[in-house]
Amino acid sequence: MRDSLQHFFSPKTIAIVGASDDHSKWGHTIGKQALRSENCEIYLVNARAEAVLGQKSYRALSEIPGELDLVVIAVPVSAFEQVIDDAIERNVKCVLAITAGFAELGAEGLTLQNRCKEKLKSKNIRMIGPNCLGISDNNKKVFLAASDFTPGNVALISQSGNLALEFDVLFKEIGIGFSRFISLGNQADVTLVDAIQSCVADSGTKIIALYVEDFIDGREFIRACQASFDSGKPIILLATNGSGAALRSAGSHTGALASESEIVATACKYAGVVKVNTPMEVAITAQVLSTGFVQNLHKIGIVTDGGGHGTIACSLLEDSNFEMPELSDAIQKRLQDRLWPPSSVINPVDLAGYGEQDLLSYSDSVGELLSENEIDGVLITGYFGGYSSNNPFAGGLAESEIEAAEKLVDISRKSLKPIVIHSMARDSKALSHFKAAGIPVFTNIVDAVFAFKVLRRPSMTELLVQNGTLPRITTLDYVSLRNEMSNFGLPSMPVFRVSNVSELESQFGLISVPVVLKSLSQTHKSDKNGVSLNRKTYIETIEAYQKIVASTQCRDVSMEPMIETADSVEILVGMKRDPRFGPILIVGAGGVNAEIHKDSAMALAPISKVQALELLKNLKVFPLLDGFRGRKKVDLESLTDLMV
């Protein structure tokens, strides 16, 4: 794959406009970092100085000899457009805009940002930013960011500068680092998708971590992530729930159930992306993915030397939908022969104090668990790892613990199954041995369980493309919309609008009884006594209409046939057009309690019949659709047709 951002990471010449000796200015920080770069010439530009950072400086881009590949702009916003004009005059290949004060400040800043973007676009000059923290590539030795980033194989793409600095601290603590860093800023030109594609093309990048506030084009984001997944480069996503993905629309059940975080989570299922919620989870995920053990994990074995640790681990793993199956009689027998009578060998395997008698009992127990197809991975939890620490619980056991650690590493490699360590110790020779071998080690049991969630390989859902032209919804009026449903092939009962008693009288004979009346002034009508059910006569219907008008202070009411629901299952099927990810289908348990149950599933439309059925199967209410305890089965064929 060709890297469309190659000139940002392989420039021969770089000019830093706004370079400064003033430590409080970005031009000082970026300029100082730039001078660390290798394989390229660095030119410092400062209109007022002859020397900056101990180097010769130039007063303008026009004074720099030869060709310029990359221009870094760190000047006040008032001088920014002039530097853009100068860069265009010099026929540069790309621009890195550190300067802030554009779209993030409002309409005036957006106008300036767009004007500069169009100028560059007309000359095919790419721009990262503005309002960004810079870029860095540890393999190509290009350093144009405000901070150092520990070398490694994770590419970090972030819309937050301070979070990027926190990521570096967390990564360094667990012994991993970065291949490159890209601060997107306002994404005026280079977008999140461009950055992902660049990192996929980068040979030094094995994993991509994202912090995203605005996806811009959600469908293109998914396609870029799918390409990264297919290339063997997993993506980790930390996304906000407030500004980028969607605007909450709680005016209907559909809007309330389709929250921003749920839409992003759905998109991740299509993209094969691991979605996380905190910077620490980003670091844990990157560490675990680096082991290369990602696979279909379901059945977990636990080895501990204390019942409490095993019980807590079991509870947390079950909450994360893992199984802790009881071990077969054959494995239990071999474990009983190896351990002592107080040990429990069911799963969790609790050594019950035998670990201190014989530390190799840890590795032998894990070996037994992974010797068959009964267990997909093992969690060791408790004190193991602490016997070779500086303050061991029991002395004289360091060498035995290190030997057990070596055997555990060998077992994991030969079985091709993951082992995760939760240890009360923060550091020891045994734990260092695990870390060096790529076996994840955690001091927090919650983090260790999260590691198993990461190890459970994400799957991708097919993203369909809608062919042809469909009729457009031209109104949000309830009665008109209901009557328009037939244009979409959706079954719908007849419905009439009544605004006074005489209209109700003229239309009552056109509809079958009993009828339902609903106020057209309220979203959640039943909250305001705006719904009247099962009106069987004209007189009952008139009385119900008058009560609804009095209660809601609105004369507009819909009248439609009453549907008997005694032996039915109410299912909500709704649509929402998300500003970033496009049309979203929501299906779930329906009725007035839909938002309380929150039993729903979501997909990016259009969907196939197979996907529709899978969505239904994900609902807690699905057994009711499928003939639970002798109930009549719902016509799933028709329901999935309606969803499609």
Side-chain angles (χ1 to χ4, degrees):
M1 177 185 288
R2 180 181 175 274
D3 185 357
S4 63
L5 307 184
Q6 59 179 323
H7 294 302
F8 285 99
F9 298 102
S10 300
K12 299 299 181 186
T13 51
I14 303 173
I16 314 296
V17 182
S20 174
D21 283 322
D22 186 342
H23 288 69
S24 67
K25 294 184 176 180
W26 283 105
H28 173 84
T29 304
I30 299 295
K32 189 175 180 180
Q33 287 285 72
L35 292 173
R36 297 175 49 230
S37 301
E38 300 177 11
N39 307 314
C40 58
E41 292 290 329
I42 304 296
Y43 299 98
L44 305 181
V45 179
N46 185 301
R48 297 186 180 89
E50 294 183 357
V52 175
L53 296 170
Q55 306 290 319
K56 176 184 178 180
S57 72
Y58 297 82
R59 296 186 182 278
L61 289 175
S62 58
E63 295 182 4
I64 298 175
E67 294 185 356
L68 279 177
D69 291 335
L70 171 60
V71 169
V72 183
I73 306 178
V75 300
V77 67
S78 58
F80 184 83
E81 189 169 10
Q82 182 58 56
V83 179
I84 290 294
D85 292 338
D86 293 345
I88 292 173
E89 185 69 25
R90 286 301 314 268
N91 196 31
V92 304
K93 293 184 173 69
C94 51
V95 169
L96 176 61
I98 308 297
T99 302
F102 296 90
E104 74 274 14
L105 295 185
E108 186 176 344
L110 176 61
T111 299
L112 174 60
Q113 177 177 299
N114 287 339
R115 188 164 66 243
C116 293
K117 177 186 73 173
E118 292 304 319
K119 286 183 177 183
L120 293 171
K121 185 178 180 180
S122 68
K123 301 297 182 181
N124 293 318
I125 300 172
R126 302 304 308 269
M127 175 174 68
I128 293 178
N131 184 33
C132 76
L133 195 70
I135 62 174
S136 182
D137 191 307
N138 281 317
N139 296 312
K140 295 182 174 66
K141 307 300 182 185
V142 175
F143 305 112
L144 301 171
S147 178
D148 297 341
F149 287 91
T150 305
N153 62 12
V154 181
L156 174 62
I157 304 170
S158 177
Q159 284 188 262
S160 168
N162 283 339
L163 267 181
L165 302 181
E166 182 179 357
F167 288 139
D168 188 45
V169 172
L170 294 172
F171 277 42
K172 191 178 297 182
E173 287 178 354
I174 59 179
I176 57 177
F178 301 92
S179 55
R180 61 168 51 171
F181 163 68
I182 303 175
S183 174
L184 291 173
N186 292 359
Q187 300 187 76
D189 174 33
V190 171
T191 64
L192 171 64
V193 168
D194 293 321
I196 291 172
Q197 292 171 340
S198 174
C199 293
V200 171
D202 176 43
S203 61
T205 293
K206 304 303 178 187
I207 299 167
I208 302 172
L210 311 175
Y211 170 73
V212 181
E213 294 172 353
D214 191 345
F215 293 91
I216 299 182
D217 187 331
R219 300 274 170 142
E220 284 303 308
F221 165 75
I222 289 172
R223 293 185 183 97
C225 292
Q226 286 177 331
S228 184
F229 184 94
D230 291 340
S231 73
K233 297 187 179 184
I235 290 183
I236 309 161
L237 171 66
L238 174 61
T240 60
N241 293 336
S243 57
L247 301 175
R248 178 180 290 276
S249 173
S252 68
H253 290 312
T254 296
L257 293 175
S259 71
E260 297 165 17
S261 60
E262 288 165 323
I263 291 173
V264 174
T266 298
C268 289
K269 293 177 183 177
Y270 283 78
V273 167
V274 181
K275 184 180 182 297
V276 299
N277 298 309
T278 67
M280 175 57 78
E281 288 183 355
V282 173
I284 293 171
T285 304
Q287 177 189 14
V288 172
L289 292 177
S290 296
T291 66
F293 272 122
V294 181
Q295 54 193 266
N296 291 321
L297 287 181
H298 297 288
K299 298 175 290 186
I300 307 300
I302 299 173
V303 175
T304 182
D305 201 13
H309 281 106
T311 301
I312 292 171
C314 250
S315 177
L316 291 171
L317 285 164
E318 286 176 344
D319 288 345
S320 298
N321 298 317
F322 287 102
E323 298 176 43
M324 270 63 62
E326 184 174 335
L327 300 174
S328 66
D329 291 342
I331 292 181
Q332 288 193 43
K333 177 65 167 60
R334 294 198 295 270
L335 287 170
Q336 286 171 341
D337 292 343
R338 175 63 180 85
L339 305 175
W340 66 356
S343 301
S344 173
V345 296
I346 298 173
N347 191 24
V349 175
D350 181 5
L351 305 182
Y354 190 64
E356 289 162 20
Q357 306 296 318
D358 181 1
L359 278 165
L360 292 181
S361 62
Y362 276 99
S363 53
D364 290 346
S365 296
V366 172
E368 289 293 350
L369 291 177
L370 297 182
S371 64
E372 308 286 348
N373 292 325
E374 297 180 25
I375 298 296
D376 300 325
V378 170
L379 170 65
I380 299 176
T381 176
Y383 194 77
F384 186 78
Y387 298 103
S388 57
S389 66
N390 291 330
N391 297 296
F393 174 74
L397 299 177
E399 290 186 8
S400 294
E401 184 177 61
I402 294 169
E403 183 183 356
E406 291 172 348
K407 286 194 172 186
L408 284 165
V409 169
D410 190 53
I411 288 168
S412 182
R413 286 173 176 166
K414 287 181 178 178
S415 68
L416 298 179
K417 294 179 180 179
I419 296 173
V420 173
I421 310 293
H422 162 241
S423 177
M424 295 161 61
R426 291 202 164 270
D427 194 20
S428 73
K429 292 179 180 179
L431 296 181
S432 297
H433 198 78
F434 288 132
K435 293 174 184 177
I439 291 180
V441 176
F442 303 97
T443 57
N444 186 323
I445 185 60
V446 174
D447 294 340
V449 170
F450 182 80
F452 276 108
K453 293 167 68 175
V454 175
L455 285 165
R456 188 162 46 193
R457 181 186 297 277
S459 58
M460 288 194 296
T461 302
E462 184 182 3
L463 186 63
L464 302 182
V465 177
Q466 181 69 62
N467 295 317
T469 301
L470 294 176
R472 300 286 295 180
I473 293 176
T474 57
T475 177
L476 294 180
D477 172 73
Y478 174 75
V479 175
S480 300
L481 182 56
R482 283 284 305 275
N483 289 324
E484 200 175 300
M485 282 184 171
S486 59
N487 295 333
F488 296 87
L490 299 175
S492 177
M493 298 294 284
V495 58
F496 297 94
R497 174 193 295 273
V498 294
S499 300
N500 52 58
V501 172
S502 61
E503 286 183 2
L504 189 152
E505 181 179 6
S506 65
Q507 294 179 7
F508 184 78
L510 303 176
I511 193 169
S512 62
V513 292
V515 301
V516 178
L517 299 179
K518 300 179 184 179
S519 172
L520 295 176
S521 68
Q522 304 290 330
T523 299
H524 299 300
K525 305 167 185 60
S526 55
D527 293 346
K528 301 290 184 180
N529 297 318
V531 176
S532 184
L533 305 177
N534 208 31
R535 301 299 93 188
K536 297 177 180 178
T537 67
Y538 171 68
I539 298 300
E540 284 183 0
T541 306
I542 290 290
E543 292 175 350
Y545 171 75
Q546 292 172 335
K547 287 180 180 179
I548 288 176
V549 171
S551 177
T552 63
Q553 300 299 305
C554 175
R555 303 192 65 82
D556 293 331
V557 174
S558 70
M559 180 171 63
E560 49 197 297
M562 177 79 185
I563 300 174
E564 178 56 55
T565 61
D567 295 322
S568 302
V569 183
E570 290 192 70
I571 294 293
L572 175 150
V573 181
M575 288 293 300
K576 173 188 175 79
R577 183 170 292 277
D578 181 81
R580 295 297 185 257
F581 290 97
I584 309 292
L585 176 79
I586 299 95
V587 61
V592 295
N593 296 323
E595 292 167 46
I596 296 175
H597 295 315
K598 292 190 180 297
D599 180 19
S600 62
M602 194 182 305
L604 304 184
I607 63 170
S608 68
K609 290 269 288 184
V610 172
Q611 290 172 348
L613 185 57
E614 284 302 311
L615 288 176
L616 292 174
K617 288 180 177 179
N618 286 331
L619 300 178
K620 296 175 184 176
V621 76
F622 179 73
L624 297 179
L625 302 176
D626 200 37
F628 181 71
R629 291 190 175 179
R631 293 176 64 105
K632 182 180 178 181
K633 287 189 177 184
V634 167
D635 182 358
L636 293 177
E637 189 72 18
S638 295
L639 180 53
T640 52
D641 279 341
L642 185 145
M643 293 166 63
V644 170

